[in-house]
Amino acid sequence: MFPPFRRLTRAAAALLLGAALISGQPAAAQVPPDVLVVGQIAEPQSMDPHTVTATNDFRILVNLYDGLVRFKPGTLEVEPALAESWEISPDGKTYTFKLRQGVTFHDGTPFDAEAVKYNFDRMLDEAHPEHGTGPFPLSFFFATVTQTEVVDPHTVRFHLSEPYAPFLSNLAYPTGLMVSPTAVRNEGGDYGRAPAGTGPFKFRIWESNRQVALEANPDYWDGAPSLRGIVFRPITDGNARVSEMLAGNLDLMVEVPPDALATFRDDATYAVQEQEGPHLWFLILNTKEPPFDDVRMRQAVNYAIDKETLVNDVLQGTATVPAGPIPSAFAWAHDEQVQPYPHDPERAKALIAEAGQAGEIRAKFLVAESGSGMLDPVAMATAIQADLAEVGITAEIETYEWNTYLGMVNPGLEGRAAMAEMAWMTNDPDTLPYLTLRSDALPDQGGFNSGYYSNPELDRLLEEARRTTDQAERGRLYKQVQKLVHDEAPWAFVASWKQNAVTTAQIGNFQLQPSFLLNLAKVTKG
């Protein structure tokens, strides 16, 4: 059990922090009063920001690292971080950043223009000596960077092959976080277990399936954290996270199961936070193989699923029904004229008949046990299975642990399954369709188009939108993307989540972010 916080002296707290973070004792058993314990939804994959894709991992990384820029709190607007200012050339192809001076990585390596160049060369240059410590799946974000130039020790310039509107937003995303060149060179392929950034917290220890522990960086350029440290505990089962929270073993838990929210709302010793963001929960349909190589079958799945019941009953009002791949959180790029597919089993049956499908239709359905933004994936899968059965589609569910699941889905569904659950939280309307629906984003080409959807018109729209710097024109193009993808239905568009978290009442300055990142530098406890 926790010792009573108020009875701990500062010296005792320091000793307990050492015990909790160094000896690997269960975090909940000996946590000092100024260490925050966070209930995470899964074991992270890596602490190397360039190699991971899951929000579960990003929630830790943004406390270890900084990028050149970051999202302004409460918004998706970009503000300075390790870069104090920047200039964009009139043709939109050159970005020059003035770097913050006097910053060092946690291992003592100076942060300067050479370090910035190292980070991008490592990600983008296959001949780079440390490129082999990858893979670098989201280096897609920076594919237009042709050269990173060191102008002087505190000035770095990026040369792009073409204007690229999402560039600053992508720099603010975790893929743009800066790693220590020295640490990567020393650790090689093990760097993901021994990270070094410039962030408000330093890496302390990682015990698999038990905890990732960080300690405060007293020299942080943006002010030392008030917390002494953070312990991230992976607790895959949502109900188990709730039990740990109610038992007092967590200070903060993310992704609260919908049926537990009322429990916390009704108890003044807790605080519930909810925040809408650009999230989409969808079914990837394998467009390369029958039965979903036929657009009528894909539309039938969308009509067959009772999404209103899913978001209102299974998710208990913690989500809304989306109308395509551009979440309504991107108001400037979302077309309100496009409406979600209604629940219409008869229309689904008619489309299946038009597609010439006769008899029982069997479809292997990959399902995650948990995962970033996956909401209540097993319960949702079960409800979807029942809806599909009503129109003659037998969905054969196979369930996997999250990281195993990603290893099944990200390489592509060919020969594996007809459909799979997935959820993305993004920072720009370009990200999701460009990385997951573009013809050149197939898994064997490093992308996430696991359903193999291909449409030249969509490719054209996406390329034009990312080269357009005028936001109104970009918005017009993304509305066309939304309509096209909605009608072609390479996915079933199921839910857009209102993210949530619960803290104990003694936690201060905590705020959920529309970016879905978990910034804890300013959080207080007690």
Side-chain angles (χ1 to χ4, degrees):
M1 296 295 291
F2 284 96
F5 295 152
R6 61 184 180 278
R7 295 179 183 173
L8 278 179
T9 65
R10 188 170 183 80
L15 290 172
L16 286 176
L17 173 66
L21 302 188
I22 297 174
S23 71
Q25 294 299 310
Q30 297 183 337
V31 68
D34 46 4
V35 170
L36 188 79
V37 183
V38 180
Q40 283 272 74
I41 62 168
E43 175 81 350
Q45 285 186 303
S46 171
M47 294 293 100
D48 184 342
H50 302 156
T51 69
V52 296
T53 61
T55 299
N56 182 65
D57 299 14
F58 294 162
R59 288 179 175 131
I60 304 174
L61 296 178
V62 292
N63 296 289
L64 276 170
Y65 297 94
D66 298 300
L68 296 180
V69 296
R70 63 187 179 188
F71 294 116
K72 185 178 179 181
T75 77
L76 290 173
E77 299 173 20
V78 170
E79 68 173 14
L82 290 177
E84 292 184 312
S85 63
W86 57 89
E87 293 180 354
I88 306 172
S89 65
D91 67 0
K93 295 170 65 174
T94 304
Y95 287 66
T96 303
F97 292 88
K98 289 291 184 183
L99 305 181
R100 192 174 300 279
Q101 299 187 36
V103 177
T104 59
F105 289 96
H106 300 153
D107 63 351
T109 301
F111 168 75
D112 55 19
E114 289 289 353
V116 177
K117 177 175 172 53
Y118 175 91
N119 272 262
F120 284 87
D121 286 353
R122 176 190 178 226
M123 267 194 290
L124 300 175
D125 180 2
E126 294 183 2
H128 189 276
E130 277 80 52
H131 186 81
T133 58
F136 303 88
L138 293 186
S139 60
F140 266 117
F141 280 5
F142 306 116
T144 57
V145 175
T146 58
Q147 182 190 2
T148 307
E149 177 190 0
V150 175
V151 179
D152 63 46
H154 306 298
T155 307
V156 67
R157 181 171 294 143
F158 291 90
H159 299 272
L160 311 185
S161 58
E162 59 187 6
Y164 178 49
F167 186 56
L168 284 175
S169 178
N170 287 348
L171 284 174
Y173 210 59
T175 310
L177 297 173
M178 296 288 104
V179 304
S180 162
T182 305
V184 175
R185 291 184 183 117
N186 289 340
E187 300 295 336
D190 295 329
Y191 174 76
R193 305 285 296 205
T198 62
F201 294 90
K202 303 178 182 180
F203 175 75
R204 195 76 173 105
I205 193 171
W206 179 352
E207 293 181 309
S208 297
N209 298 312
R210 291 170 65 88
Q211 64 171 324
V212 173
L214 316 181
E215 63 179 353
N217 174 8
D219 302 319
Y220 186 50
W221 60 267
D222 199 21
S226 65
L227 294 170
R228 182 175 297 269
I230 309 172
V231 174
F232 294 90
R233 294 182 55 202
I235 307 172
T236 303
D237 181 76
N239 293 325
R241 280 199 306 283
V242 170
S243 297
E244 293 271 17
M245 192 78 195
L246 292 172
N249 295 336
L250 301 175
D251 300 305
L252 186 162
M253 69 169 286
V254 295
E255 304 197 26
V256 184
D259 57 4
L261 278 174
T263 300
F264 293 112
R265 283 199 184 101
D266 295 340
D267 189 332
T269 59
Y270 299 98
V272 175
Q273 289 203 22
E274 294 180 277
Q275 230 256 12
E276 290 195 32
H279 168 273
L280 186 68
W281 195 105
F282 54 98
L283 297 182
I284 304 170
L285 303 176
N286 182 349
T287 66
K288 193 171 188 176
E289 299 171 337
F292 300 130
D293 56 345
D294 188 316
V295 63
R296 293 167 295 190
M297 291 297 298
R298 304 195 297 267
Q299 292 170 337
V301 170
N302 273 282
Y303 282 115
I305 299 172
D306 187 350
K307 298 156 190 169
E308 289 291 344
T309 296
L310 274 172
V311 301
N312 292 326
D313 293 352
V314 177
L315 301 180
Q316 300 188 38
T318 59
T320 57
V321 178
I326 308 294
S328 59
F330 297 122
W332 58 274
H334 176 81
D335 188 349
E336 294 183 352
Q337 301 301 313
V338 180
Q339 293 297 305
Y341 282 87
H343 180 221
D344 190 343
E346 295 307 315
R347 177 66 176 141
K349 290 177 185 176
L351 284 165
I352 291 171
E354 287 178 24
Q357 296 285 338
E360 184 182 24
I361 304 165
R362 306 188 74 84
K364 185 180 291 185
F365 181 13
L366 301 184
V367 173
E369 291 178 352
S370 63
S372 303
M374 293 300 288
L375 310 182
D376 197 349
V378 176
M380 291 179 71
T382 303
I384 290 170
Q385 183 184 47
D387 287 341
L388 294 179
E390 188 178 344
V391 301
I393 299 174
T394 301
E396 301 166 326
I397 290 177
E398 291 185 4
T399 305
Y400 297 92
E401 177 273 334
W402 176 235
N403 288 322
T404 304
Y405 182 80
L406 291 177
M408 294 280 290
V409 175
N410 286 345
L413 299 186
E414 183 178 12
R416 287 190 172 91
M419 52 201 292
E421 298 176 338
M422 189 49 68
W424 277 63
M425 294 95 105
T426 56
N427 60 309
D428 190 282
D430 169 79
T431 308
L432 180 59
Y434 195 83
L435 295 184
T436 60
L437 289 170
R438 189 172 42 96
S439 300
D440 289 340
L442 297 177
D444 62 1
Q445 297 175 43
F448 294 90
N449 189 350
S450 299
Y452 315 100
Y453 179 67
S454 178
N455 184 317
E457 176 61 10
L458 176 66
D459 298 342
R460 184 192 68 77
L461 289 169
L462 291 173
E463 293 293 348
E464 187 175 346
R466 60 173 26 204
R467 287 196 297 268
T468 303
T469 54
D470 179 81
Q471 190 180 70
E473 175 60 14
R474 287 189 77 208
R476 187 186 69 79
L477 293 165
Y478 287 122
K479 289 174 183 177
Q480 293 182 49
V481 167
Q482 180 184 345
K483 178 70 166 59
L484 184 155
V485 175
H486 170 276
D487 294 349
E488 285 276 290
W491 302 336
F493 314 100
V494 179
S496 283
W497 178 47
K498 291 180 286 188
Q499 63 171 320
N500 62 45
V502 170
T503 69
T504 60
Q506 66 179 166
I507 301 304
N509 296 335
F510 173 70
Q511 180 184 17
L512 283 172
Q513 302 296 327
S515 62
F516 295 98
L517 304 177
L518 203 62
N519 300 316
L520 302 174
K522 307 297 183 185
V523 168
T524 61
K525 180 179 175 181

